Amino acid sequence: VLKFSLLLILAAAFTGCDDDKSYEDPGLEVSLYNISGTWKLESWNNGTPLADGSYVYLDLAYRDGNEFTIYQNLDSFGPRRITGAYNLYTDESLGSVIRGMYDYENGDWSHRYIIRDLYSDRMTWIATDDAGNVSVYVRCDGIPQEILDQYKDEIESEQDEE
């Protein structure tokens, strides 16, 4: 009986001293406010980093109609600045989904995306129709000036129209 009691005490002591007190950050709630800001595409197509010299910056504004601006040089001869509006909605089975519509009647984004793993500094987008289409964005302080300089005339022209 004494040995059995001693074993129970030792077992309780070892299970009580569990060093694995790891805390898993649940992240942020996906909301217009929490996703607003400037993001840089870090990887896409399920982990593929962008080629050297390539970039995609996504600026999400949640005021004035939930507008977005994309600065990118991936799918064209030169750099492009693309604007439009986006909305965020909740799908019962998928969770938070973002979709976008390009300005000038250029249609919708080619995919709608589930937003997962939203933290203050990163978020993951997964295409609703292609689970292998996974993009990871990291928050940044803004669009680098050298990139904005490429679009200076275009931006000034739009400001003059307003």
Side-chain angles (χ1 to χ4, degrees):
V1 177
L2 184 58
K3 282 185 183 181
F4 182 71
S5 297
L6 186 57
L7 285 175
L8 281 176
I9 292 170
L10 285 173
F14 283 115
T15 57
C17 294
D18 185 7
D19 286 337
D20 186 18
K21 302 261 191 242
S22 60
Y23 168 75
E24 190 169 317
D25 186 350
L28 301 173
E29 174 187 350
V30 178
S31 68
L32 293 172
Y33 177 78
N34 285 339
I35 66 170
S36 70
T38 305
W39 301 87
K40 181 179 182 182
L41 182 63
E42 181 180 72
S43 64
W44 62 331
N45 291 333
N46 214 8
T48 306
L50 275 62
D52 284 342
S54 296
Y55 62 85
V56 175
Y57 286 93
L58 172 65
D59 190 44
L60 297 172
Y62 77 100
R63 296 184 183 169
D64 301 325
N66 301 334
E67 297 173 345
F68 70 83
T69 304
I70 299 171
Y71 298 86
Q72 60 100 355
N73 66 353
L74 288 183
D75 65 356
S76 60
F77 177 69
R80 292 190 333 159
R81 180 175 171 269
I82 307 162
T83 59
Y86 71 95
N87 67 25
L88 187 64
Y89 64 94
T90 301
D91 179 283
E92 282 187 32
S93 61
L94 300 174
S96 298
V97 177
I98 189 169
R99 68 179 290 227
M101 295 74 57
Y102 297 110
D103 283 341
Y104 313 110
E105 298 181 19
N106 285 324
D108 292 344
W109 290 349
S110 56
H111 303 280
R112 294 178 186 199
Y113 299 91
I114 304 162
I115 299 179
R116 295 265 165 81
D117 301 326
L118 175 63
Y119 297 94
S120 61
D121 63 343
R122 67 187 320 100
M123 66 178 162
T124 301
W125 288 16
I126 304 165
T128 58
D129 59 345
D130 179 3
N133 184 334
V134 178
S135 302
V136 176
Y137 290 88
V138 293
R139 191 179 294 273
C140 49
D141 291 332
I143 311 297
Q145 190 60 47
E146 62 269 13
I147 291 176
L148 288 175
D149 288 345
Q150 298 175 47
Y151 305 97
K152 184 178 179 184
D153 294 337
E154 185 179 338
I155 293 169
E156 288 175 356
S157 172
E158 285 179 4
Q159 290 173 343
D160 290 342
E161 291 174 10
E162 295 174 358

